[in-house]
Amino acid sequence: MKEIKKGLCFFLAALLGVHFSLLNPMAMKAEESNGIEDMGEDYDEELYASVDMQTDEVSLDVKDSVMEPEREFSEVENTGVELTESSMVSVKGDEVSGFWQYSVDSNNEVTIEKYTGAEANVSVPSTIAGKIVKYLGEDAFRGNTWIVSVNIPDTVTSVSGSKIGFFSFGCFYECTNLTVVSGMKNVTSIGAGAFSGCSNLTTISFGSSLAEIGEDAFESCKKLTNCTFPASLTKLGDGCFEDTELISVSLFLPNVEIIGSDAFCNCSQLETVSIGANISIGSSAFSGCSSLKNISIAAGSRVSAK
């Protein structure tokens, strides 16, 4: 009987053991499930607390780095700085008046440094803040594709430009929709690349004071067919009218001294050229002028080696 009871106990123990062995995996899965749910509820907190939940070797405070931009924005917001139209553009000059950025020199004369407007027809002011506008800076209209016509007042004496290496960049560089330039009555110099790349320019008037036209000043003005040069002109820079559509060029003038190299190079529509006496003519000044029929050069003028 004892042996029967002993066997029954072992049998029951075996049954209970099987029961617990079946329940334990389920319990473990339940615990794991509960753990995942708990992690889901506290996910944000755990994420910000530590990147590595398995080891203490790497710990990153994500919360601080995430929130840093918000703090920076709040600091700017709290400075009381008000964003306006003028503060959202790059200021080239010392002063701003409407769409005109400008600087004032020691003679109290104004240089227009940048026009920031988008008008099609623009008249440069003759005065700003009671000061005379004397110069147009080399960046004043550069790349402005809205402007169609511009009037330059009598007060302006220089339309600026510059050359860096082989490239010239000037006041109206690549104003590709510019067609008409008027005024310039008292402009004495037109800088390097001042109107270079103005591919739709058809009309420009030179005043009686113009002395110098800089390098590449009107290069690639492909619709420019006519220019009347004043008697005051003394120098035409290298490549100044290269790749234009001029039909005739008259430089039979009393004061011209230099016609630069490539000055009228590749003017494929150029038919007639007249050049006065004692002028230095640069090499290739008229090369590539495939339509050239008549050219007259007065005594004393010469082609330079350059």
Side-chain angles (χ1 to χ4, degrees):
M1 187 69 179
K2 289 181 179 179
E3 292 178 359
I4 294 172
K5 287 182 178 179
K6 186 176 180 179
L8 182 60
C9 287
F10 280 116
F11 177 74
L12 290 173
L15 285 177
L16 289 172
V18 170
H19 176 70
F20 284 123
S21 65
L22 291 173
L23 289 179
N24 283 343
M26 295 176 65
M28 290 174 65
K29 289 181 181 179
E31 289 175 0
E32 291 175 359
S33 175
N34 290 336
I36 292 172
E37 290 178 358
D38 291 339
M39 285 178 63
E41 292 174 356
D42 299 326
Y43 178 75
D44 292 338
E45 181 178 352
E46 293 296 327
L47 174 63
Y48 290 127
S50 176
V51 173
D52 191 345
M53 298 177 63
Q54 301 298 324
T55 177
D56 292 331
E57 292 180 1
V58 179
S59 182
L60 176 65
D61 192 350
V62 180
K63 185 173 182 179
D64 286 343
S65 63
V66 171
M67 293 300 290
E68 187 65 24
E70 183 175 343
R71 288 204 300 270
E72 290 179 359
F73 180 79
S74 297
E75 289 171 6
V76 173
E77 189 175 52
N78 292 334
T79 60
V81 175
E82 181 180 358
L83 292 179
T84 63
E85 181 180 6
S86 61
S87 67
M88 296 175 70
V89 297
S90 175
V91 177
K92 297 286 185 181
D94 301 325
E95 309 288 344
V96 177
S97 176
F99 292 119
W100 304 100
Q101 298 174 8
Y102 65 97
S103 58
V104 181
D105 64 18
S106 58
N107 294 320
N108 217 29
E109 295 172 337
V110 169
T111 297
I112 298 292
E113 302 290 358
K114 193 70 176 177
Y115 169 72
T116 61
E119 297 170 306
N121 304 302
V122 177
S123 290
V124 177
S126 58
T127 61
I128 293 180
K131 301 175 180 65
I132 294 175
V133 175
K134 197 81 170 179
Y135 314 101
L136 298 185
E138 63 185 48
D139 288 325
F141 293 89
R142 183 187 296 183
N144 186 314
T145 57
W146 292 285
I147 187 171
V148 174
S149 69
V150 61
N151 181 68
I152 298 173
D154 295 350
T155 58
V156 172
T157 61
S158 175
V159 179
S160 302
S162 63
K163 187 166 186 175
I164 302 174
F166 294 103
F167 302 98
S168 297
F169 306 93
C171 181
F172 293 93
Y173 176 75
E174 289 197 347
C175 291
T176 53
N177 287 313
L178 180 63
T179 60
V180 178
V181 178
S182 58
M184 298 211 303
K185 179 180 179 181
N186 293 313
V187 170
T188 60
S189 66
I190 297 174
F195 294 91
S196 177
C198 293
S199 53
N200 281 296
L201 183 63
T202 59
T203 305
I204 187 164
S205 60
F206 299 133
S208 58
S209 300
L210 183 63
E212 182 174 343
I213 298 175
E215 297 180 38
D216 308 320
F218 294 91
E219 179 189 9
S220 297
C221 292
K222 296 181 180 295
K223 293 187 178 180
L224 188 62
T225 60
N226 180 59
C227 279
T228 301
F229 300 105
S232 56
L233 188 63
T234 61
K235 180 181 179 180
L236 292 93
D238 295 351
C240 58
F241 287 93
E242 182 177 351
D243 199 21
T244 63
E245 297 295 300
L246 292 177
I247 296 172
S248 66
V249 170
S250 177
L251 292 169
F252 208 87
L253 302 169
N255 296 304
V256 175
E257 298 174 358
I258 299 172
I259 298 174
S261 300
D262 303 317
F264 298 91
C265 177
N266 294 327
C267 292
S268 59
Q269 301 303 310
L270 186 59
E271 297 179 355
T272 304
V273 173
S274 61
I275 297 174
N278 302 314
I279 296 174
S280 174
I281 304 170
S283 62
S284 304
F286 295 94
S287 68
C289 297
S290 54
S291 298
L292 189 59
K293 299 174 182 178
N294 301 299
I295 182 167
S296 61
I297 303 176
S301 289
R302 62 204 180 279
V303 177
S304 67
K306 181 180 177 181

